[in-house]
């Protein structure tokens, strides 16, 4: 049911039944290292290219979430997901390993939210089980968006560290004891003309602000109606920017705002403003946030993955960085 | 309502209310040249890069379809679409021009079918108007997937010509006199280990065959239940391959099978096996097939855009070409 301008109340409840995560060796040392279902010994994981590694990470997640739920491919109606790599190769190539229909998405680092939102809506018309997946890999993203790692380029102060991780969640119509998706707010593309491709937080904060404020307006709620509002990968600087922008609109996002990118790495890991990448919000939700909901520590989470929709070519052609954010309200 | 293994009957009818198409100068000379709503004078259309041209083509289509329907951005719940370019820049950057939520997709040249299928399912839960868009541009695709145009590389006999075109369709809950989407069959990723990146027809025909046969099985229909089955961009060779594969499974696809790629270019245009690209099936549906349905020349069309999920990097890394096809049953 539509509710306000951009929000959909999910009429038939869609439960987040199981999750599975794969993390890289650097992520094993992060704050959530002990929560990953599987940790890779090294960045290649037995493959001869990092792209092939990322394919395997997604494949392992999809296999893992099915095993946890004790179901097979024939029980799953659809794989929905994406990643940051050109032509979303990790998602498409992992999907060929399964006899399951595949819907590829691209909303940059907001892809995981897009998959949860679309999954929940598709399940209103007959799908019973959907697996949503997103991933990123530090090595595949750096060489595609920035420079070859071998160049040893220095990160700038505003930069973030692409998380090497993949996360899958199994959505099901029946699993009443698990958290469920109650509302989905699909975001608009917002571009305040930021051009610094090393400052994703600044580019994405306006989109996060727009989507969160729209969600609150559409549902008639305030930030205090949520145990926590968790954005995708704004990082520390981007989260401050979001607080500033929301305050200007009369909304205070204080103690109950956090960000997957700002949360993931330990201070001593020196990962700039924090983590980023489509796998960041996917893995933090699947490895950590989901458990807090399952353990009844939170009753209502607003999960808002954010994405910067640039490409290497768009930046080289002098374009600014449009961004997007989708909000998924998850309740227990 | 789920029907069989991979097919969804669209319970609340979703009407294809209006369409709009933009074509390039080479497409203006094609069999459907006179059917385009707008034809570009040249390949750049006043822009300083072909990527920017493709952004403008999509923007023009979205604007055009809203104008035809006499509605504004506030009447549209969602833009759903994609293209072939890295990080789907044409789709994301055109979406920033509209105050409408955006869902970016990537299933290569099957993206338009993916957008129609997802649009129809989303509209079961409260969306009233969705614009589905896909595009491709010969110059942006050639330099991304193959070689710079300036190199003057000779096409191989099995190759196809990327269509410079964009197409948008406005889906609405109410517009009873227009064709509507009755069934959607989402396809699996199929890879028979074809590695020739210049023979997309061979790579995609198995996916088209798998989806069409699944659709027929799921609905209990035969090919003769359709006025026409139109695949996306298999080209002539790919269409022959599809016929061969289907025959092996006991299904005869003869007179009522056609293909957007095989149909679009005139023989004297010498476009290899035919057209390809995400804009091929989008523009052929929006410019031509839709009109045949509106004029009651056809009552039931099975529209099956096909996509090859390769990237330049995947081919360079020795990977074969996985492919996908989604089937949309459109009735009047």
């Amino acid at each position: 049911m539509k509710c306000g301008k951009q929000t959909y109340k999910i009429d038939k409840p869609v439960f987040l039944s199981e999750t599975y995560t794969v993390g890289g060796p650097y992520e094993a040392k992060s704050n959530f290292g002990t929560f990953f279902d599987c940790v890779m010994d090294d960045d290649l994981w037995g493959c001869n290219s990092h792209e092939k590694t990322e394919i395997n990470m997604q494949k392992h997640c999809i296999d893992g979430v099915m095993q946890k739920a004790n179901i097979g491919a024939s029980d799953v109606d659809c794989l929905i997901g994406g990643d940051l790599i050109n032509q979303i190769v990790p998602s498409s190539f992992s999907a060929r390993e399964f006899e399951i229909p595949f819907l590829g998405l691209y909303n940059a680092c907001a892809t995981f939210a897009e998959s949860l939102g679309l999954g929940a809506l598709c399940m209103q018309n007959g799908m019973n089980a959907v697996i949503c997946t997103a991933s990123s890999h530090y090595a595949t993203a750096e060489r595609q968006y920035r420079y070859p790692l071998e160049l040893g380029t220095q990160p700038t102060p505003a930069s973030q560290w692409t998380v090497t991780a993949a996360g899958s969640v199994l959505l099901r119509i029946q699993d009443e004891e698990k958290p469920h998706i109650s509302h989905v707010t699909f975001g608009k593309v917002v571009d305040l003309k930021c051009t610094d491709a090393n400052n994703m937080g600044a580019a994405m904060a306006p989109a996060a602000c727009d989507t969160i404020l729209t969600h609150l307006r559409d549902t008639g709620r305030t930030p205090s109606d949520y145990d926590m509002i968790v954005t995708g990968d704004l990082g520390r600087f981007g989260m401050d920017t979001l607080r500033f922008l929301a305050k200007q609109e009369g909304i205070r996002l204080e103690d109950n705002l956090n960000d997957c990118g700002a949360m993931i790495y330990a201070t001593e890991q020196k990962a700039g403003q924090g983590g980023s990448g489509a796998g960041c919000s996917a893995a933090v939700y699947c490895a950590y946030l989901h458990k807090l909901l399952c353990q009844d520590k939170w009753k209502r989470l607003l999960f808002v993955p954010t994405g910067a929709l640039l490409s290497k070519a768009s930046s080289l052609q002098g374009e600014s960085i449009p961004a997007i954010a989708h909000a998924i309200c998850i309740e227990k």
Side-chain angles (χ1 to χ4, degrees), chain A residues 209-223:
Chain A
C209 185
D210 188 80
T211 298
I212 293 170
L213 268 52
T214 301
H215 175 86
L216 295 175
R217 216 177 297 122
D218 284 352
T219 54
R221 293 178 182 166
T222 64

Side-chain angles (χ1 to χ4, degrees), chain A residues 278-294:
Chain A
C280 177
S281 57
V284 171
Y285 178 80
C286 292
Y288 180 66
L289 305 177
H290 185 71
K291 292 188 176 74
L292 295 180
L293 286 157
C294 287

Side-chain angles (χ1 to χ4, degrees), chain A residues 21-330:
Chain A
T21 42
V22 173
Y26 189 64
E27 287 63 33
K29 294 180 206 151
S30 76
N31 293 324
F32 304 131
T34 55
F35 297 111
F36 284 101
D37 291 290
C38 168
V39 165
M40 306 193 298
D41 300 331
D42 61 50
D43 269 336
L44 275 168
W45 218 24
C47 300
N48 61 7
S49 81
H50 291 107
E51 286 77 15
K52 292 185 183 176
T53 309
E54 198 175 337
I55 295 169
N56 274 355
M57 288 162 61
Q58 284 214 20
K59 181 178 171 298
H60 198 77
C61 271
I62 296 167
D63 264 331
V65 81
M66 288 197 293
Q67 269 182 35
K68 265 186 165 181
N70 200 20
I71 59 173
S74 62
D75 301 312
V76 181
D77 293 311
C78 204
L79 301 174
I80 307 186
D83 54 77
L84 301 178
I85 298 311
N86 295 342
Q87 289 74 55
I88 60 163
V89 158
S91 302
S92 304
F93 280 67
S94 63
R96 77 174 165 179
E97 305 293 332
F98 302 95
E99 289 270 312
I100 306 175
F102 170 63
L103 297 168
L105 307 182
Y106 185 81
N107 266 174
C109 307
T111 297
F112 190 60
E114 187 189 6
S115 73
L116 293 176
L118 279 172
L121 289 185
C122 285
M123 291 172 77
Q124 305 302 302
N125 197 75
M127 288 194 192
N128 291 310
V130 167
I131 295 177
C132 300
T133 307
S135 69
S136 49
H137 191 301
Y138 179 75
T140 61
E142 280 303 308
R143 81 165 181 171
Q144 178 181 285
Y145 285 102
R146 296 176 196 95
Y147 301 98
L149 289 180
E150 293 80 354
L151 215 56
T153 311
Q154 292 287 318
T156 63
S159 70
Q160 293 171 243
W161 187 277
T162 305
V163 171
T164 300
S168 282
V169 62
L170 169 68
L171 301 180
R172 279 213 274 197
I173 286 297
Q174 285 178 327
D175 201 352
E176 280 73 14
E177 287 173 15
K178 294 294 170 65
H180 69 274
I181 298 176
S182 66
H183 295 79
V184 171
T185 304
F186 289 125
K188 300 192 293 272
V189 179
V190 176
D191 187 344
L192 296 194
K193 302 299 167 194
C194 169
T195 54
D196 180 359
N198 292 304
N199 189 347
M200 294 289 102
M204 297 190 293
C209 185
D210 188 80
T211 298
I212 293 170
L213 268 52
T214 301
H215 175 86
L216 295 175
R217 216 177 297 122
D218 284 352
T219 54
R221 293 178 182 166
T222 64
S224 61
D225 288 319
Y226 294 89
D227 292 301
M228 197 59 84
I229 297 172
V230 181
T231 49
D233 54 349
L234 297 177
R236 277 175 287 276
F237 175 75
M239 201 163 60
D240 288 345
T241 311
L242 167 59
R243 281 203 176 94
F244 173 82
L245 292 169
K247 201 172 164 189
Q248 286 195 314
E249 302 285 331
I251 299 288
R252 294 185 75 87
L253 297 170
E254 298 296 336
D255 291 350
N256 67 339
L257 175 69
N258 214 330
D259 176 78
C260 298
M263 286 158 90
I264 186 168
Y265 293 116
T267 315
E268 62 272 19
Q269 288 189 289
K270 296 187 180 161
Q273 297 296 328
S276 67
C280 177
S281 57
V284 171
Y285 178 80
C286 292
Y288 180 66
L289 305 177
H290 185 71
K291 292 188 176 74
L292 295 180
L293 286 157
C294 287
Q295 292 163 4
D296 289 318
K297 289 186 179 157
W298 291 344
K299 289 281 178 202
R300 191 187 274 166
L301 162 71
L302 191 64
F303 180 48
V304 194
T306 48
L309 302 169
L310 79 168
S311 77
K312 191 155 194 170
S314 72
S315 291
L316 287 172
Q317 292 184 14
E319 286 280 10
S320 56
I321 303 168
I324 196 161
H326 304 298
I328 312 291
C329 178
I330 304 175

